[in-house]
C-alpha cells in the first residue's frame, strides 16, 4: 500500500457518482492505493523491439507486453534502488522512454488509421513521452510540431527529443490558444494531451491531490475548452484529433468533448475507440471514449477521446507582422556538399523529407513540411543541428550521431564497458591496440553513444559537457 496517500472526500463522492455500474468503489480505492507497475516504451527510432527484448533478457529484466502499444512493456520486479531505470546505459542511449502504460493510449488512438500525416501537432508536449512516441510511429518523416507553454519544460522536452533521436520536430513555446488563429487548418493530426487536475496520477504521486479542489477543476476546464477550440481550428478538414487527460472527472473529460461537439455540430464526429485493442470495451463510454479507471487495466487513470473534423468551420488566419528568419535554405550544391561529406566521413544520411538549412557556420536539417509555415509562427528550434562548418570541412555534432547513426556504419568502434564508463564521464579513451584517424562513431553494445576524434592512439571525447555524468555504478 502507498504509505502517505490522502484522497479528498469530495473527490471520492464525485467518483461514486460517475463510476460505471460494472466497477466497484472498493476496487477503485484499493487500486489508487497500490503503487503503480513500472512500464517503458521501446524507442524504435533507435532499436527494434526484437533486439531490445534480447538485450533486456541479458540484463534479467522481466517484460510483459502492454496490449495497446506494440512497443510498450511492463517491467516486473525491477529493483529501482540498485540502478534507477533512468540511469541505465540503455536509457541514456535513448533505447527506451519510461512511460506509464495508459499514457501510451492517446498516440495509439491518434495514429491508428493509415492516413497521410504530413503535419502533426502535439499541443501540450512536455516532457515528451507522447511526442517521442509520435516521432517513432512517423519514423522521423513528416513534421511534428511540439508545443509547450512552460519555458523550463521546453528544455526538458528538447533534451528528451535529442536523447531519443527525433529529427522531424519543430519546438514552439506558446500558450496553445494561439494555434487556431495562427495556423488554421494546418495539421493532419493533433494531440491535445491537456493540462489537467491529474486525479489519475495518485498511484505514482501521493501528493497528486495537494492542490486539488472542485474550484480548481472548474478553472482548468475553462483552459481545456479554449485549447480544444484552438486545436479544432488548427486541424485540417478530414483530420483527426485526440483529446486526453490523466484525470477522471467528467468536467475535464466528457464535458469538454460535448462542448466541442455543441460548438461545431456536424463538423465534429466522435470516433469510437472500443476496438482499439482487445479488451478496450472494459473502459469504453457510450460515446466511444476510453475512461480508464485505475482498476480496469491496473494502470494510472486516463481519459482518451478521438474525433474527426468532417468539414471546414471557416477558420481564418490572423495576419502577423513578417518576421526575420535567420536561416537560409542551402543551395543545391551546398546541400550536396554537406550530404556527400556526411556520407563519406561517417556513412550517414538524412531522412527523405528533410532539407539542409544554413545559419552562418551552422548546418541544420529541417523537416520539409515546416517550410510552408515558417513565416507564421516563431519556432524555438527546428530539426537537428548537423554540423559546424570550418575551413577544412564539417564538425559533426553529438546529436547527429544520436539521431542518425545505427551502430552498423563502417566508422563505428565498439567500446569495452570500462571505456564506455570513461566516455560517459567525459574522458578521452585509448582502445587497446588500436590507432586511427579522423572522426569515429563510438558505440557501446552496438548502440551509438557519441562522436570522437582519433588523435594517434587516443579518441578525443566529444560528449557535450551537460551530458557528462558519473556512471560508474550504472553501466554493467
Ligand atoms: C499532461 S502535461 C503533457 C504531458 C506530455 N504530453 C507527455 O506525454 O509527456 C500538460 C502540459 O501542458 C502544459 N500547458 C499548460 N498550459 C498550457 C497551455 N495553455 N498551452 C499549452 N500547454 C500548456 C503544461 O506545462 C504541461 O507540460
Amino acid at each position: 500500500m502507498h504509505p502517505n496517500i490522502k484522497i479528498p472526500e469530495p473527490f471520492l463522492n464525485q467518483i461514486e457518482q460517475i463510476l460505471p455500474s460494472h466497477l466497484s468503489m472498493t476496487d477503485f480505492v484499493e487500486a489508487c492505493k497500490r503503487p503503480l507497475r513500472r512500464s517503458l516504451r521501446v524507442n524504435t527510432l533507435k532499436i527494434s523491439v526484437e533486439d531490445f527484448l534480447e538485450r533486456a533478457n541479458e540484463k534479467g529484466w522481466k517484460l510483459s507486453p502492454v496490449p495497446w502499444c506494440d512497443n510498450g512493456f511492463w517491467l516486473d520486479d525491477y529493483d529501482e534502488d540498485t540502478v534507477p531505470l533512468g540511469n541505465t546505459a540503455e536509457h541514456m542511449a535513448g533505447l527506451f522512454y519510461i512511460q506509464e502504460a495508459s499514457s501510451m493510449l492517446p498516440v495509439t488512438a491518434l495514429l491508428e488509421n493509415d492516413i497521410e500525416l504530413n503535419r502533426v501537432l502535439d499541443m501540450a508536449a512536455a516532457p515528451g513521452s507522447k511526442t517521442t512516441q509520435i516521432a517513432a510511429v512517423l519514423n522521423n518523416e513528416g513534421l511534428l510540431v511540439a508545443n509547450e507553454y512552460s519555458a523550463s519544460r521546453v528544455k526538458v522536452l528538447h533534451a528528451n527529443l535529442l536523447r531519443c533521436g527525433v529529427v522531424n520536430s519543430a519546438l514552439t513555446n506558446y500558450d496553445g490558444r494561439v494555434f487556431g488563429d495562427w495556423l488554421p487548418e494546418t495539421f493532419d493530426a493533433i494531440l491535445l494531451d491537456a493540462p489537467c487536475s491529474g486525479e489519475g496520477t495518485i498511484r505514482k504521486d501521493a501528493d497528486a491531490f495537494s492542490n486539488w479542489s472542485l474550484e480548481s477543476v472548474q478553472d482548468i476546464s475553462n483552459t481545456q475548452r479554449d485549447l480544444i477550440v484552438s486545436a479544432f481550428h488548427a486541424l485540417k478538414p478530414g483530420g483527426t484529433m485526440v483529446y486526453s487527460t490523466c484525470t477522471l472527472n467528467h468536467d475535464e473529460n466528457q464535458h469538454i468533448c460535448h462542448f466541442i461537439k455543441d460548438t461545431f455540430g456536424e463538423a465534429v464526429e466522435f470516433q469510437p475507440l472500443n476496438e482499439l485493442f482487445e479488451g478496450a470495451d472494459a473502459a469504453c463510454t457510450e460515446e466511444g471514449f476510453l475512461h480508464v479507471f485505475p482498476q480496469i487495466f491496473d494502470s494510472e487513470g486516463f481519459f482518451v477521446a478521438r474525433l474527426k473534423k468532417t468539414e471546414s468551420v471557416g477558420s481564418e488566419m490572423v495576419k502577423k507582422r513578417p518576421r526575420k528568419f535567420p536561416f537560409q535554405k542551402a543551395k543545391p550544391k551546398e546541400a550536396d556538399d554537406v550530404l556527400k561529406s556526411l556520407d563519406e566521413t561517417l556513412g550517414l544520411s538524412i531522412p527523405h523529407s528533410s532539407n539542409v538549412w544554413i545559419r552562418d557556420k551552422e548546418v541544420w536539417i529541417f523537416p520539409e513540411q515546416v517550410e510552408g509555415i515558417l513565416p507564421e509562427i516563431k519556432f524555438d528550434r527546428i530539426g537537428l543541428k548537423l554540423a559546424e562548418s570550418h575551413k577544412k570541412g564539417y564538425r559533426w555534432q553529438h546529436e547527429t550521431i544520436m539521431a542518425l547513426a545505427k551502430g552498423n556504419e563502417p566508422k563505428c568502434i565498439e567500446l569495452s564497458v570500462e571505456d564506455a564508463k570513461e566516455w560517459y564521464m567525459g574522458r578521452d579513451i585509448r582502445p587497446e591496440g588500436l590507432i586511427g584517424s579522423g572522426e569515429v562513431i563510438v558505440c557501446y553494445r552496438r548502440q551509438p553513444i557519441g562522436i570522437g576524434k582519433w588523435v594517434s592512439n587516443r579518441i578525443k571525447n566529444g560528449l557535450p559537457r551537460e551530458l557528462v555524468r558519473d556512471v560508474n555504478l550504472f553501466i554493467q
Side-chain angles (χ1 to χ4, degrees), residues 97 99 103 122-131 147-150 153 174-177 191 193-196 223 227 246:
Y97 197 107
Q99 183 174 359
S103 125
D122 185 356
M123 192 182 256
S129 62
K130 299 179 192 71
T131 321
N147 177 67
E148 168 57 45
Y149 185 41
S150 146
R153 287 172 67 86
Y174 284 108
D175 186 325
R177 290 172 175 93
L191 174 64
D193 187 38
C196 71
T223 303
L227 290 176
C246 56

Side-chain angles (χ1 to χ4, degrees), residues 336-403:
D336 270 4
D337 251 21
V338 172
L339 299 182
K340 212 165 136 218
S341 176
L342 182 66
D343 180 28
E344 283 172 4
T345 48
L346 297 174
L348 300 180
S349 58
I350 65 171
H352 300 299
S353 57
S354 48
N355 290 315
V356 178
W357 285 68
I358 309 282
R359 176 171 69 181
D360 303 325
K361 293 199 173 316
E362 296 175 9
V363 182
W364 290 67
I365 50 172
F366 288 178
E368 190 159 74
Q369 285 291 332
V370 83
E371 293 173 18
I373 57 174
L374 279 175
E376 311 304 339
I377 193 162
K378 178 175 172 286
F379 291 97
D380 263 29
R381 189 189 160 101
I382 307 173
L384 178 82
K385 182 173 171 190
L386 207 55
E388 282 180 11
S389 58
H390 57 86
K391 270 190 226 133
K392 292 188 191 153
Y394 301 97
R395 196 170 302 109
W396 307 106
Q397 305 292 291
H398 172 79
E399 62 189 80
T400 303
I401 302 306
M402 296 309 283

Side-chain angles (χ1 to χ4, degrees), residues 293-323:
F293 288 89
Q295 69 265 46
I296 303 180
F297 304 124
D298 192 7
S299 68
E300 266 191 343
F302 232 87
F303 176 85
V304 188
R306 182 171 65 191
L307 58 89
K308 184 175 170 181
K309 181 170 179 173
T310 58
E311 58 191 56
S312 173
V313 293
S315 320
E316 277 185 29
M317 177 144 6
V318 168
K319 286 263 169 274
K320 295 157 290 280
R321 264 186 293 148
R323 65 177 82 245

